[in-house]
Amino acid sequence: MSLVPVPVCSGCGQVAAVSISCSTCCLLCCATCFGLTSSDFGGEARLLSLLSVRVCSMCSEPVPLKAPEQVGAAPAVVPDEGATDSTEVSEEVPTAPSSNPEQAPTPAISESEAPSTAADKGIVGKDDQVRVPEPVVVKRERCWIHGKDLKLFCLQCDECICGECFLDAGGHMRHQIDFVEAVYKEKRAETERKLAALDEKVKHLKQDVVQVVKNLEIVEVAERDVLGEIEAVCEEAKEGIARLTGQRKRVLKIQAELPAKKQKLNEVLTQMVEKLPPEEFFKQQPQVEKQCDEISQCIPVSTFQPVEFEDIGCELIPAYEMQTCTLVNFDRVCFGWPKHFTTDSDVLWNVFLHRKGDDLFIKVFTANEAAVQFPYKVLVVIPHADLQKTIQRKFTVCGDPKEQVIASYAALFNEGFVSPNNELLIKVGVRPANIITESRFLRQQYQSLKARVTTLEKQQNTMEKQMQSKFCIMHFNAFVSKTPKKTQEAQHSAAIIDRADRHWVLRVYPFETSLPDTNLKVFVVLRKGSRTKCRYFIELIHDNPQQSVLQTTESLFESIDAGYGWHCFVDRKKLMADAGFYPNGILRFRFGVQPIEK
């Protein structure tokens, strides 16, 4: 509630120097409408009373500002602690009678006429549920300037005004004005149309729910199928590992159980010998010694070999591809031992071992740009006669190469890893982290190679176009002779005439199929024109263009009718073994000349 001078009181319509805002309808009325006199404006406590909850003559009961749901409850006003007894504020604020008895409180509008709230507009809360709007009671207002009913609506300012506001030389003089009821009906109809359109969209959305549910079922079925296939692949991989390691495990278990079995047989024979009397011992001695020899023969000679485990892998987890490195002059080399090997996926791996301080370091890396982007597992094994002393190191390489410590020099010498001839044996293995890594790498490498092939094909086409634009080119067919002749007769093509009016022909001496010593001879001949240096090419066409044979060179043509070319243009065995060079006994040539002018 505030004390602000206003032109007209909303209750009685009189000009008031002091106005008080109603706590319920927020209209500004004069002090008379609230039943107050000029004496009520003196003192601090009285000012606090004026600032407490007050209602105008049009509102029947006071409404607390902080508890709008408790309509009709008159709250007590808390007095100021510094107020004296003479200025004590009463607990209940009286309601002044209305100065205009003809004006009754305006009844609340219906729920359908209530203004839309955020919930009406479909605003969804945090819990993803639409809030249902509560009915709002709105009382009719009057113009706070003229005190008249707000029967007009300014379409430009989007607010309700009275007739005086429109007639006065104010801000609404030239604005578009209409009646409140007409504007209300129009806006109400517009809102109803939007609600109807929204209802239609919701109906269509409900119709799509059936298809959405079907799509959900399809996704779930596909998910189950893929998970089932994954489980089947995993089970198959486990079975493959079991088959790979089964035989080795059985052999190792037999070797592990063999000493206990032989020990038990030895104990049985020993007990039997101890219990035999001398006469019986002499009789049983040959048999006992025979059994001892048989047991001894069943015990193999101790040729222990470490088991191979690097090749254990499956389709999901590949096996290591191992490379054995022998470091010679182990205690003398200071610059390291560079090694390299190529894996099955055609990736060149570089292995560099060197000494730094008292430790032996290893660095494994590749120059393949595609392989660098994926993780690879590296296994380093330094074997020892005693398996318990064998050194194994596993690490992952991806991206920039990093050095890894293998062992100390002192341990390698003291534990007997270095051979008497000063050599150290190291095994290094590399494999992809898993089948997914390998598949991604191969896919990327394939795309890279495909792009490279496309680039080379473009370069080849460009070179061919350039060659065709610079060379004078002609095609010629020569026939293969099946009947042997004493002297080979040359076959000549038609003449190519260059810009200097020189005549060039292709001279071919076809081989004879029945004579193993004959070869295919091909020459370029200058039949007419001045001497010149010429660049030329001859191509023997194959059914598969990639297998065609192309020869290019340049020569100085000093005399007319002299041939320059190849006495053995293509290997006879290669030519005879591939009928794609001479379909129907015809050799197809393409040749071109390019004189080199000074």
Side-chain angles (χ1 to χ4, degrees):
M1 192 165 54
S2 61
L3 300 177
V4 181
V6 296
V8 178
C9 174
S10 299
C12 61
Q14 301 296 326
V15 177
V18 178
S19 64
I20 304 174
S21 176
C22 178
S23 302
T24 302
C25 63
C26 298
L27 292 178
L28 299 176
C29 300
C30 62
T32 305
C33 291
F34 281 93
L36 302 175
T37 62
S38 60
S39 61
D40 295 328
F41 297 99
E44 182 179 1
R46 184 60 59 187
L47 179 61
L48 291 174
S49 179
L50 292 175
L51 295 176
S52 61
V53 178
R54 295 275 184 177
V55 292
C56 65
S57 59
M58 293 182 295
C59 301
S60 59
E61 296 180 356
V63 181
L65 295 178
K66 295 186 179 180
E69 65 275 1
Q70 298 177 0
V71 179
V77 178
V78 180
D80 190 0
E81 295 179 358
T84 59
D85 296 340
S86 60
T87 60
E88 184 177 358
V89 181
S90 59
E91 295 181 357
E92 184 176 350
V93 179
T95 304
S98 175
S99 61
N100 189 4
E102 297 179 358
Q103 184 177 0
T106 304
I109 62 176
S110 62
E111 181 180 353
S112 63
E113 298 178 356
S116 61
T117 62
D120 297 333
K121 298 180 181 178
I123 298 178
V124 180
K126 294 182 179 180
D127 54 354
D128 201 18
Q129 295 181 358
V130 179
R131 298 190 297 271
V132 180
E134 298 180 356
V136 180
V137 179
V138 179
K139 296 183 179 296
R140 287 190 177 275
E141 299 181 0
R142 287 192 176 189
C143 180
W144 68 280
I145 299 177
H146 306 99
K148 299 297 182 66
D149 291 340
L150 303 176
K151 296 183 179 181
L152 301 179
F153 189 86
C154 180
L155 298 176
Q156 186 169 346
C157 299
D158 198 19
E159 64 178 354
C160 295
I161 62 174
C162 67
E164 297 294 334
C165 293
F166 176 67
L167 295 176
D168 290 346
H172 306 283
M173 189 72 177
R174 297 180 181 179
H175 293 179
Q176 187 178 358
I177 306 298
D178 201 348
F179 290 103
V180 171
E181 296 297 333
V183 176
Y184 167 74
K185 291 180 180 180
E186 182 180 353
K187 292 185 176 293
R188 176 68 179 269
E190 182 181 355
T191 303
E192 289 178 352
R193 286 194 299 270
K194 290 185 178 181
L195 292 174
L198 179 60
D199 185 62
E200 290 296 328
K201 291 183 178 181
V202 172
K203 289 181 180 179
H204 289 297
L205 187 61
K206 290 182 178 179
Q207 294 176 359
D208 295 339
V209 170
V210 178
Q211 302 296 334
V212 173
V213 173
K214 184 61 178 178
N215 288 336
L216 179 60
E217 294 178 357
I218 293 174
V219 172
E220 291 177 348
V221 171
E223 179 186 13
R224 289 195 298 269
D225 293 342
V226 173
L227 292 177
E229 293 179 3
I230 292 175
E231 293 180 357
V233 171
C234 293
E235 291 297 328
E236 183 178 357
K238 292 179 181 178
E239 293 176 359
I241 291 293
R243 289 193 298 270
L244 181 62
T245 60
Q247 180 63 25
R248 301 181 189 181
K249 291 166 63 177
R250 284 191 293 270
V251 173
L252 294 175
K253 288 180 179 180
I254 292 175
Q255 293 178 356
E257 296 173 355
L258 183 61
K261 292 181 179 180
K262 301 305 179 181
Q263 180 66 26
K264 187 174 181 180
L265 293 175
N266 188 25
E267 292 177 354
V268 171
L269 290 176
T270 302
Q271 294 177 1
M272 184 184 67
V273 170
E274 292 177 352
K275 295 180 180 180
L276 291 176
E279 297 80 1
E280 190 67 24
F281 172 76
F282 292 137
K283 296 180 181 179
Q284 298 292 337
Q285 182 181 6
Q287 187 67 23
V288 172
E289 291 180 354
K290 181 179 180 181
Q291 291 183 4
C292 290
D293 294 338
E294 292 177 354
I295 295 174
S296 177
Q297 291 177 359
C298 294
I299 299 176
V301 181
S302 178
T303 57
F304 175 77
Q305 295 293 335
V307 67
E308 297 290 337
F309 68 93
E310 300 88 355
D311 61 338
I312 297 178
C314 62
E315 296 180 354
L316 300 181
I317 306 297
Y320 286 99
E321 297 185 43
M322 303 300 296
Q323 179 74 16
T324 302
C325 304
T326 302
L327 310 185
V328 297
N329 297 326
F330 185 68
D331 61 344
R332 298 178 184 178
V333 176
C334 301
F335 299 101
W337 299 267
K339 305 291 182 180
H340 62 273
F341 64 96
T342 304
T343 59
D344 294 340
S345 56
D346 199 23
V347 178
L348 178 64
W349 289 93
N350 301 307
V351 180
F352 184 69
L353 298 113
H354 67 102
R355 179 176 181 177
K356 183 186 294 185
D358 295 334
D359 296 324
L360 178 64
F361 284 79
I362 185 173
K363 182 168 66 174
V364 181
F365 59 97
T366 178
N368 191 305
E369 296 180 356
V372 171
Q373 304 176 10
F374 300 97
Y376 278 78
K377 300 290 185 179
V378 178
L379 172 64
V380 180
V381 180
I382 303 180
H384 195 276
D386 185 0
L387 282 182
Q388 296 180 355
K389 296 182 180 180
T390 299
I391 298 175
Q392 292 186 13
R393 296 289 185 269
K394 294 182 180 180
F395 54 91
T396 303
V397 294
C398 182
D400 297 334
K402 298 180 180 179
E403 295 182 344
Q404 302 289 337
V405 180
I406 301 178
S408 65
Y409 259 61
L412 293 176
F413 280 99
N414 297 334
E415 299 295 335
F417 288 95
V418 182
S419 63
N421 55 355
N422 199 16
E423 294 180 353
L424 179 66
L425 183 66
I426 295 182
K427 296 182 179 179
V428 180
V430 179
R431 68 169 175 83
N434 47 56
I435 189 61
I436 298 177
T437 299
E438 186 176 20
S439 176
R440 291 174 178 173
F441 160 68
L442 294 177
R443 188 183 300 112
Q444 184 169 345
Q445 191 176 34
Y446 168 75
Q447 296 295 337
S448 177
L449 293 176
K450 186 177 180 181
R452 178 61 178 168
V453 169
T454 303
T455 303
L456 293 176
E457 289 178 350
K458 292 181 179 179
Q459 294 177 356
Q460 181 182 3
N461 295 334
T462 303
M463 294 178 62
E464 288 181 353
K465 291 179 180 179
Q466 293 177 353
M467 185 173 62
Q468 291 178 1
S469 62
K470 295 180 181 180
F471 282 83
C472 299
I473 301 175
M474 177 176 287
H475 290 262
F476 172 64
N477 294 336
F479 296 93
V480 178
S481 176
K482 296 183 179 180
T483 305
K485 299 179 180 180
K486 295 182 180 179
T487 58
Q488 292 179 301
E489 297 181 359
Q491 300 182 24
H492 294 85
S493 68
I496 297 177
I497 302 176
D498 60 14
R499 295 181 180 181
D501 198 23
R502 300 184 186 91
H503 292 213
W504 304 86
V505 298
L506 181 67
R507 179 181 296 169
V508 180
Y509 292 93
F511 65 90
E512 297 179 358
T513 56
S514 59
L515 298 178
D517 296 334
T518 58
N519 294 317
L520 178 62
K521 303 176 182 179
V522 184
F523 306 97
V524 174
V525 179
L526 176 62
R527 281 291 182 91
K528 178 182 177 181
S530 59
R531 56 173 291 181
T532 182
K533 188 175 184 180
C534 180
R535 183 182 297 109
Y536 57 93
F537 75 89
I538 302 175
E539 181 181 11
L540 178 60
I541 300 176
H542 191 275
D543 290 339
N544 185 1
Q546 296 181 356
Q547 297 184 15
S548 299
V549 179
L550 177 65
Q551 301 282 1
T552 303
T553 187
E554 60 183 38
S555 302
L556 177 60
F557 290 81
E558 296 181 332
S559 58
I560 302 299
D561 207 31
Y564 295 88
W566 293 266
H567 288 272
C568 182
F569 184 76
V570 66
D571 184 67
R572 177 185 175 85
K573 294 182 179 179
K574 177 181 178 180
L575 196 61
M576 293 294 297
D578 194 346
F581 285 108
Y582 54 95
N584 300 323
I586 298 176
L587 296 175
R588 298 162 295 176
F589 290 93
R590 186 173 73 101
F591 73 101
V593 294
Q594 182 186 13
I596 303 175
E597 304 293 345
K598 294 183 180 180

